[in-house]
Amino acid sequence: MSSQTAAPEAPPAPAPAGRATRGPAPRRDRRGGITSRVAVNAVLAVVAVYTLMPLTWLLIASTKSYRDLFATNPFSLGDFAFLANLNALLEYNDGVFVRWLLNSLLYTVVASGLSTLISVACGYAFDKYAFRGREKWFGVVLVGVLIPSTVVQLPLYLMASELGLVNTYWAVLIPGLVNPFGVYLARVFSEGYVPGEVLEAARVDGAGEVRTFVKVALPMLAPGFVTIFLFTFTASWNNFYGALMMLNDDQLYPVNLGLYMWNQNVYQQPELYPLVIIGSLVAVVPLIVAFLCLQRFWRSGLTAGAVK
């Protein structure tokens, strides 16, 4: 009886180099993912409704007559009186609303432009120049960011009173030139946008410090400049308390202070109520226009430093 030996089994082939063996792929919880998306979208919808509801009411109310403002539902339409309300707004008290609107543009555009230029120059200096006490002075700037603007209004009023600037354009313009938060942002933008090697190359070519800043650094800081300008523009346009402290001549009022004074008199003069509503709508338009025109620079400025 002969016995046969079985051939030995061949060992399993080794896995190709560079390929790792994978276990079974984990199952994704599709139900949980859908639930999360629904919850996030619901929260965003609630936030959007909460944000847009006042503006929606303002837009609808500006089209109503005085009678329909109180006789109809707040979010229902009445007789279309938008053009009549706008005409009454522009003609009331010899067109004082137009004067307020021009005052706001003066305070905002001039103060915001100069303040942004000063902030960018200071932030650039804090970033690119080494001088004694640099970080300590920058710490003082950061302390200024933490102080609410309303806290300094009384000292500013006392200083303006001593200088004889109360109830003048300068009483609103000069305090608007100082922006500690803008200096902080400008230093961040300078660190992210302006390489030191480019500045050294400009100096080697014979450019002075002012020319290097204006011709080389400032164009690189354009997105940051626009971002700081938008923040400053919004803050200046909404500067209510500072104007309230400094001004008592209605010909110098900005638009927000003028509308506030009208709103204080609606019980004695009910015809002012529609004017306050449509005036508030018109006062929002410059902010919307500014953001729509400069949003491209603003978005790129907000991503500064995100990618190195």
Side-chain angles (χ1 to χ4, degrees), residues 159-197:
M159 294 172 61
S161 179
E162 289 293 329
L163 297 174
L165 298 178
V166 174
N167 204 35
T168 65
Y169 287 109
W170 298 109
V172 180
L173 285 172
I174 294 177
L177 301 179
V178 180
N179 185 7
F181 184 64
V183 176
Y184 165 75
L185 285 181
R187 182 174 183 177
V188 174
F189 285 122
S190 179
E191 292 175 352
Y193 278 105
V194 184
E197 296 81 2

Side-chain angles (χ1 to χ4, degrees), residues 25-261:
R27 296 181 179 178
R28 295 182 179 179
D29 189 356
R30 295 183 178 180
R31 183 176 302 176
I34 295 175
T35 303
S36 300
R37 287 196 297 270
V38 171
V40 171
N41 291 334
V43 172
L44 292 177
V46 171
V47 172
V49 170
Y50 177 80
T51 304
L52 296 177
M53 186 176 293
L55 186 59
T56 303
W57 175 86
L58 186 65
L59 184 61
I60 295 174
S62 64
T63 64
K64 297 181 180 181
S65 63
Y66 177 79
R67 179 182 61 83
D68 289 338
L69 281 173
F70 300 97
T72 60
N73 185 278
F75 290 95
S76 63
L77 297 174
D79 294 336
F80 188 79
F82 180 82
L83 297 179
N85 292 337
L86 183 61
N87 185 63
L89 173 70
L90 299 179
E91 291 182 353
Y92 184 81
N93 195 13
D94 297 328
V96 69
F97 180 82
V98 178
R99 178 66 179 265
W100 294 343
L101 202 60
L102 293 177
N103 289 342
S104 290
L105 290 174
L106 173 66
Y107 296 141
T108 304
V109 174
V110 174
S112 299
L114 293 177
S115 174
T116 303
L117 185 59
I118 293 172
S119 297
V120 170
C122 292
Y124 170 82
F126 274 118
D127 175 43
K128 300 304 179 186
Y129 294 107
F131 52 89
R132 185 176 181 181
R134 180 179 67 172
E135 297 304 325
K136 293 181 179 179
W137 283 112
F138 190 68
V140 173
V141 173
L142 295 181
V143 171
V145 175
L146 301 177
I147 298 176
S149 60
T150 54
V151 175
V152 299
Q153 291 303 324
L154 182 57
L156 287 175
Y157 173 79
L158 296 177
M159 294 172 61
S161 179
E162 289 293 329
L163 297 174
L165 298 178
V166 174
N167 204 35
T168 65
Y169 287 109
W170 298 109
V172 180
L173 285 172
I174 294 177
L177 301 179
V178 180
N179 185 7
F181 184 64
V183 176
Y184 165 75
L185 285 181
R187 182 174 183 177
V188 174
F189 285 122
S190 179
E191 292 175 352
Y193 278 105
V194 184
E197 296 81 2
V198 177
L199 302 180
E200 290 298 327
R203 295 187 182 103
V204 170
D205 290 340
E209 295 301 327
V210 175
R211 186 177 180 182
T212 300
F213 171 70
V214 174
K215 297 294 185 179
V216 179
L218 197 57
M220 294 181 178
L221 290 171
F225 188 96
V226 174
T227 303
I228 298 172
F229 178 82
L230 281 176
F231 281 118
T232 310
F233 185 92
T234 305
S236 299
W237 190 266
N238 296 324
N239 181 21
F240 166 78
Y241 192 67
L244 179 64
M245 290 286 293
M246 297 292 185
L247 305 175
N248 53 41
D249 184 359
D250 62 349
Q251 296 297 314
L252 302 178
Y253 286 171
V255 66
N256 52 5
L257 181 57
L259 291 173
Y260 170 79
M261 292 301 180

